[in-house]
Amino acid sequence: MLNQPKDLDEIKYNEALKKKIVKLKKSRNAVIIVHNYQRDEIQDIADISGDSLALSQAAVRTDADVIVFCGVRFMAESASILNTDKKVLLPVMEAGCPMADMITPEKLKTKRLQHPDAAVVCYVNSSAEVKAESDIACTSSNAIEVVRSLKEKNIIFVPDKNLGRYVQSQLPEKNIILWEGFCPTHIRVQEEDVARTKSLHPEAEVIAHPECSPEVLALADHICSTGGMFTYVKKSRTKEFIIATESGMLYKLQKENPDKNFYLPTQNLVCANMKLITLGWVAHSLEKMVYEIKVSDEVREKAKRSLDRMLAVTGEKSGAIISGY
Ligand code: 13P
Ligand code: SF4
């Protein structure tokens, strides 16, 4: 089990690593950008943390020379696409997103040929090459806004079928053509898990990420991105919440809302890729300046168009949390 209580030696070791990271960060003029699913100790060293949209926006605004991206590859790739003048480092090269691998640019091209009148919207959880073949990108926090902004009625939505279905339920005027992709972590949440947790905590509100199945989303009081969950919980008068998303969310939710209680519907909501990054790998990344994420100029230019269009629809709203670490 990840994020278990740590013994004294581990605490001392982590503190030494944190000091080393702070020193290296200063000498490299680096910023540490952290996704909400990262390990607790990685969240503690974040300069900026948030959901995919907030992190893309933060990557555009930072004046650091180096971005250490603690997340998965597609996130670091987006930061690199949006910033040619900065070095973007992913501390663990293997940290990928299995959902992003469920579509290739070739397959997307074939799909487009089958629906020549459709616009292509890609979830940011996709490769730079897939973004380059799309008309516009979206994240879980702006997918509805992005699809609504398009003049086309027919929309090819890739790769997440659950997010695509959710967008369709909110925009009946559109015809969403789905792709058979999904998140292997979020599909582990079953309706029975939510119902059982709700029976144990009848006063709790259910908040679900739109990557969950439609059956789970039907049981949710509120559906939003990981960044949206922080805003919602803070505003709510409710004291108990069932959080249907990756387990890493609970650390900061609890830290920021000590008077509220949070429950996972099931204990196996762990994205193994997100948990690959450790303090040791962050220190290694800054020391050796690895692993640099680069995209070829040709792909970058086209992929940037999709991301820029998305950022133009969303404007400057950001759920990023800037820390003074
Ligand atoms: P958010 O943009 O909501 O943080 O989601 C990213 C992700 O990978 C969810 O699985
Ligand atoms: Fe990809 Fe799912 Fe992990 Fe998010 S939680 S990075 S969608 S595998």
Side-chain angles (χ1 to χ4, degrees):
M1 183 67 185
L2 293 156
N3 294 330
Q4 278 178 327
K6 295 162 181 62
D7 64 30
L8 211 57
D9 284 345
E10 194 180 346
I11 292 170
K12 277 189 194 156
Y13 178 66
N14 281 353
E15 285 314 310
L17 277 173
K18 282 182 188 174
K19 280 191 187 140
K20 186 173 175 178
I21 290 167
V22 173
K23 262 194 193 159
L24 284 164
K25 203 174 69 172
K26 276 198 187 120
S27 70
R28 302 286 194 200
N29 188 26
V31 66
I32 300 181
I33 293 189
V34 174
H35 186 263
N36 292 325
Y37 293 162
Q38 289 285 296
R39 290 170 182 267
D40 305 353
E41 58 272 25
I42 299 294
Q43 301 202 33
D44 285 342
I45 59 160
D47 294 306
I48 298 164
S49 64
D51 62 17
S52 310
L53 176 63
L55 299 185
S56 292
Q57 290 170 321
V60 177
R61 283 191 233 116
T62 181
D63 53 11
D65 296 320
V66 177
I67 296 173
V68 180
F69 213 113
C70 300
V72 289
R73 190 183 175 90
F74 77 80
M75 296 177 176
E77 223 173 45
S78 295
S80 167
I81 291 166
L82 293 165
N83 280 289
T84 29
D85 56 333
K86 294 180 181 84
K87 232 186 225 311
V88 178
L89 306 177
L90 181 64
V92 177
M93 199 55 168
E94 295 75 23
C97 167
M99 170 156 60
D101 298 335
M102 291 179 189
I103 182 161
T104 62
E106 293 74 28
K107 286 182 183 162
L108 179 53
K109 274 186 202 165
T110 309
K111 191 81 169 173
R112 213 193 241 286
L113 287 175
Q114 292 163 359
H115 303 277
D117 62 340
V120 177
V121 178
C122 69
Y123 188 25
V124 278
N125 298 40
S126 55
S127 67
E129 289 76 11
V130 165
K131 289 185 180 81
E133 290 303 323
S134 302
D135 296 309
I136 188 165
C138 74
T139 72
S140 58
S141 67
N142 63 16
I144 296 169
E145 220 177 333
V146 163
V147 173
R148 191 189 283 126
S149 76
L150 299 171
K151 64 179 189 319
E152 289 85 355
K153 178 180 169 64
N154 294 329
I155 309 288
I156 299 171
F157 192 96
V158 298
D160 188 8
K161 65 177 175 187
N162 288 329
L163 180 59
R165 275 195 195 121
Y166 173 61
V167 172
Q168 178 71 86
S169 73
Q170 302 301 301
L171 300 174
E173 69 277 19
K174 298 286 185 186
N175 175 38
I176 311 249
I177 301 151
L178 299 171
W179 191 265
E180 272 302 310
F182 59 89
C183 165
T185 304
H186 284 83
I187 56 148
R188 288 187 210 138
V189 191
Q190 306 277 311
E191 294 160 84
E192 304 80 69
D193 299 322
V194 177
R196 192 187 51 251
T197 317
K198 182 88 184 167
S199 72
L200 293 171
H201 308 282
E203 300 300 320
E205 275 192 76
V206 178
I207 310 182
H209 194 278
E211 287 176 19
C212 292
S213 70
E215 293 77 15
V216 166
L217 295 185
L219 299 175
D221 298 299
H222 189 63
I223 297 164
C224 58
S225 72
T226 60
M229 292 184 186
F230 287 98
T231 317
Y232 185 79
V233 163
K234 213 163 265 177
K235 279 192 190 151
S236 173
R237 286 167 185 241
T238 310
K239 294 282 180 205
E240 294 187 301
F241 300 88
I242 296 165
I243 304 293
T245 194
E246 212 271 348
S247 57
M249 282 293 293
L250 263 63
Y251 175 66
K252 220 166 56 176
L253 277 172
Q254 195 64 74
K255 201 170 163 184
E256 289 183 9
N257 303 277
D259 57 327
K260 302 188 177 183
N261 290 318
F262 302 94
Y263 314 103
L264 288 171
T266 169
Q267 292 309 307
N268 63 357
L269 283 175
V270 178
C271 172
N273 282 277
M274 282 281 180
K275 303 302 196 244
L276 286 174
I277 296 173
T278 59
L279 288 173
W281 283 119
V282 175
H284 175 258
S285 176
L286 278 163
E287 204 163 36
K288 308 277 184 208
M289 296 296 276
V290 289
Y291 296 94
E292 190 174 356
I293 300 298
K294 275 193 166 165
V295 177
S296 74
D297 286 348
E298 196 196 338
V299 171
R300 197 191 83 88
E301 209 173 293
K302 289 193 198 160
K304 187 170 184 298
R305 249 191 335 243
S306 292
L307 286 168
D308 282 342
R309 280 184 189 144
M310 171 190 83
L311 291 171
V313 169
T314 305
E316 272 301 287
K317 275 182 272 162
S318 166
I321 296 166
I322 320 273
S323 106
Y325 184 79

